[in-house]
Amino acid sequence: MTNPKKRIAIFGSTGSVGTQTLQVIAAHPDLFEVEILTAQTNDELLIQQAIQFNPNAVVIGDQSKYAGVKQALAKTHVKVFAGEKALEEAAAFDSYDIMVAAIVGFAGLKSVMQAIDHGKAVALANKETLVVAGDIVMKRALENRVPIIPVDSEHSAIFQCLVGETRNRIEKVILTASGGPFLGKKPNFLVNVKRDHALQHPNWNMGAKISVDSATLMNKGLEMIEAKWLFNLAPSQIQAVIHPQSIIHSMVQFEDGSIKAQMGMPDMKLPIQYALSFPHRIPNDFPRFDFKKISTLTFEDPDTKTFRNLALATDALHKGGNLPCILNAANEIAVWAFLRNRIGFLDMTEVIEKTADKLPFIAQPTMQEYVESDGEARSYAASLIKL
């Protein structure tokens, strides 16, 4: 390939997806180069990354760390910016080809919108962007002819299954869930669960927020909402099943009953690499799946009576409007509190349910109303926890 290198902007470069994206880039220096790196607070790792990958610019969200980053990179050509506004401005730079949107939570929305408005392809690892304002984000992407390529392993799987199927009607998509560390457990066990238990995911290496969401099954609920927008589906076309081995990453069933599945080892670097190299596949030395070693793949319905977060998210998927936005905001506050041992594992569901019941429903929100719903939900959820 004689094509010039693809220039990558990684928003959230010090998190789990960001660091794995840099591993993929490091393995293919002939295909990719780093243009922008951003982090919120982890200045030390951001500095290391900037020295190794020599981007054009870095942004540290926490302005109090600006001087330290600036000084550490003084002998390089890397431009250093700081603060929330700088994150948005960097997303509007013309100097990159594709943004890896890996900022966790609602905080990632503004930079994604900027990238779309400036005609940049987005490799989307931030599912909350579509959960919060999927209708507006996808409409804007369509207007600007911007590809949104999913990085979540489940949505990457569906995306891969749909290549070459554009004219064929989808009957349903089946999102697989590992079930997390507490698969099969009942509420009397979950009452005593602490943060360290919840962070021990059996199959995937993920950041703290997503690990807790996986343990409560909220992650699967958010992914169902994301799938609706990414693939233009009705809620009735989206199903979740528990698949503890995490080998089938998701499936698509077509109107003739045929099912396509995308399989592989549970390794986030694979969907990351696919998003960066799309529409091509490129070689790698990641571990390969061996059918002789895992002889059984199993599937079961999720236990939504115990893991009620999934039921709350499914309800939000069907009702739509600003309810997914409220659900997401309350969940972010609840997970934050749980990770600091302020509330118990099952209390997270209580906080989310009470917040969803309390806030007014808006059927077709504007972007401003999404932002306001997010803020109100956070305040109310925090007041329940007495933060």
Side-chain angles (χ1 to χ4, degrees):
M1 284 170 66
T2 54
N3 294 357
K5 293 181 189 179
K6 206 178 268 188
R7 299 165 302 171
I8 318 290
I10 307 175
F11 279 63
S13 69
T14 58
S16 174
V17 169
T19 51
Q20 291 179 85
T21 301
L22 287 170
Q23 288 172 17
V24 170
I25 292 170
H28 298 281
D30 53 327
L31 298 177
F32 308 119
E33 63 184 3
V34 178
E35 184 63 26
I36 301 168
L37 295 173
T38 87
Q40 185 56 30
T41 54
N42 193 342
D43 51 338
E44 287 179 20
L45 183 52
L46 183 66
I47 290 162
Q48 281 174 31
Q49 292 175 342
I51 289 167
Q52 183 181 347
F53 290 94
N54 195 30
N56 180 26
V58 299
V59 183
I60 181 82
D62 181 347
Q63 282 181 311
S64 68
K65 300 191 169 181
Y66 171 73
V69 176
K70 179 91 175 145
Q71 188 181 354
L73 298 177
K75 291 190 169 68
T76 71
H77 295 295
V78 180
K79 300 181 191 75
V80 180
F81 303 94
E84 293 306 310
K85 199 80 195 121
L87 272 175
E88 279 187 71
E89 287 164 2
F93 285 0
D94 198 36
S95 59
Y96 68 95
D97 301 309
I98 183 167
M99 170 192 281
V100 176
I103 296 174
V104 175
F106 180 82
L109 177 63
K110 284 183 178 171
S111 50
V112 169
M113 291 302 282
Q114 278 287 7
I116 291 170
D117 285 343
H118 287 82
K120 299 299 183 185
V122 177
L124 188 70
N126 170 296
K127 64 177 68 71
E128 292 89 352
T129 289
L130 292 185
V131 170
V132 168
D135 53 342
I136 295 176
V137 175
M138 293 309 286
K139 183 170 178 282
R140 195 82 61 87
L142 198 63
E143 286 166 358
N144 290 311
R145 298 196 173 146
V146 168
I148 306 281
I149 305 168
V151 168
D152 250 354
S153 66
E154 295 81 356
H155 301 91
S156 175
I158 294 166
F159 187 75
Q160 292 179 56
C161 289
L162 291 175
V163 169
E165 300 280 4
T166 43
R167 290 194 172 86
N168 295 321
R169 208 179 71 78
I170 299 169
E171 195 164 284
K172 66 176 175 180
V173 300
I174 302 155
L175 293 166
T176 55
S178 69
F182 308 130
L183 179 60
K185 300 293 192 229
K186 294 297 174 197
N188 58 356
F189 172 88
L190 297 173
V191 164
N192 301 312
V193 158
K194 291 286 180 277
R195 99 187 260 285
D196 292 346
H197 301 130
L199 292 179
Q200 287 165 2
H201 194 279
N203 301 334
W204 293 94
N205 166 26
M206 306 181 291
K209 158 79 164 61
I210 298 175
S211 294
V212 173
D213 282 347
S214 183
T216 65
L217 293 194
M218 178 56 92
N219 192 46
K220 208 49 47 183
L222 297 178
E223 284 174 2
M224 289 171 76
I225 298 166
E226 183 184 6
K228 172 189 171 181
W229 296 117
L230 267 176
F231 305 112
N232 194 21
L233 301 168
S236 59
Q237 289 175 290
I238 306 164
Q239 181 187 349
V241 301
I242 302 293
H243 167 51
Q245 297 82 15
S246 296
I247 297 300
I248 291 180
H249 301 309
S250 279
M251 298 171 263
V252 178
Q253 181 171 312
F254 296 95
E255 61 183 345
D256 61 355
S258 179
I259 297 174
K260 272 191 181 180
Q262 188 265 333
M263 305 170 69
M265 298 297 284
D267 183 349
M268 273 306 296
K269 291 195 291 299
L270 184 58
I272 290 167
Q273 178 180 294
Y274 186 76
L276 294 185
S277 65
F278 180 80
H280 306 287
R281 291 184 185 272
I282 53 178
N284 59 45
D285 57 2
F286 304 158
R288 293 337 197 209
F289 176 62
D290 183 347
F291 278 93
K292 296 188 291 296
K293 287 198 175 134
I294 300 179
S295 58
T296 312
L297 300 178
T298 60
F299 307 90
E300 61 190 85
D301 276 334
D303 175 4
T304 50
K305 285 194 170 64
T306 301
F307 297 93
R308 284 174 45 239
N309 277 4
L310 182 56
L312 293 175
T314 305
D315 184 49
L317 165 73
H318 283 268
K319 286 184 180 158
N322 65 336
L323 189 53
C325 174
I326 293 165
L327 173 98
N328 177 69
N331 180 60
E332 285 191 30
I333 294 293
V335 171
W336 186 92
F338 173 72
L339 284 170
R340 284 155 186 79
N341 301 314
R342 306 274 186 91
I343 59 174
F345 188 81
L346 295 176
D347 299 332
M348 289 188 279
T349 305
E350 293 284 304
V351 168
I352 295 160
E353 188 166 37
K354 285 180 177 163
T355 307
D357 288 345
K358 173 75 176 174
L359 267 71
F361 177 74
I362 305 169
Q364 289 186 302
T366 61
M367 186 58 95
Q368 185 55 38
E369 285 169 330
Y370 278 130
V371 171
E372 285 163 6
S373 295
D374 175 83
E376 287 164 20
R378 283 168 198 275
S379 299
Y380 187 74
S383 73
L384 292 174
I385 299 164
K386 312 275 192 292
L387 290 179

